[in-house]
Amino acid sequence: MKYCSSCHALEADGMGPPLGGITNLLSEKELTAFINNPSKAIESGNERAVSLHARYKQVMPSFAQLQENEVSAILAYVHQQTQLNHLAALVLNGDTIQGGLTGKLTPPINKSGLK
């Protein structure tokens, strides 16, 4: 997850969409193709890729340098965490994203009352 966690979380929005649940929505082949060349997915008109690009205003860098077993390990971890924590994938509804950015990228800080 060292390649993913700087931009993604499992449940929360970041610079990119949350990854939890994605392995229940897309096949390993589809996810691997996207990880290896996100720009190609957008250029091909892939509805999810285009919608996410429109929402997040950036293209994920290519991770074509990763070996197949490394990508499989990342996806296995995401899938295991999805199952363990009952995570649902970010749902796309046409051109809109349900459950996307809420205006804040981090939860509010609770003041402790200490001075």
Side-chain angles (χ1 to χ4, degrees):
M1 285 296 291
K2 72 179 181 178
Y3 297 107
C4 310
S5 62
S6 60
C7 297
H8 299 279
L10 289 169
E11 295 184 73
D13 273 300
M15 290 178 65
L19 298 180
I22 194 65
T23 56
N24 291 335
L25 188 64
L26 299 173
S27 70
E28 184 172 347
K29 182 179 177 181
E30 291 171 303
L31 291 168
T32 299
F34 183 83
I35 291 166
N36 286 333
N37 196 342
S39 294
K40 184 177 179 181
I42 294 167
E43 292 166 5
S44 73
N46 176 289
E47 182 182 349
R48 185 172 184 84
V50 170
S51 293
L52 291 172
H53 179 248
R55 175 67 172 158
Y56 291 94
K57 311 286 190 246
Q58 56 191 341
V59 178
M60 184 177 101
S62 170
F63 287 96
Q65 78 277 9
L66 295 177
Q67 299 296 317
E68 187 176 332
N69 65 329
E70 293 174 301
V71 174
S72 290
I74 291 167
L75 295 177
Y77 172 78
V78 170
H79 187 70
Q80 185 265 344
Q81 290 297 308
T82 293
Q83 301 301 93
L84 184 66
N85 297 298
H86 308 287
L87 302 176
L90 186 64
V91 177
L92 297 176
N93 184 7
D95 290 333
T96 63
I97 299 175
Q98 297 172 348
L101 291 174
T102 59
K104 292 187 178 187
L105 295 179
T106 59
I109 298 171
N110 295 324
K111 296 183 179 182
S112 69
L114 297 175
K115 296 192 184 217

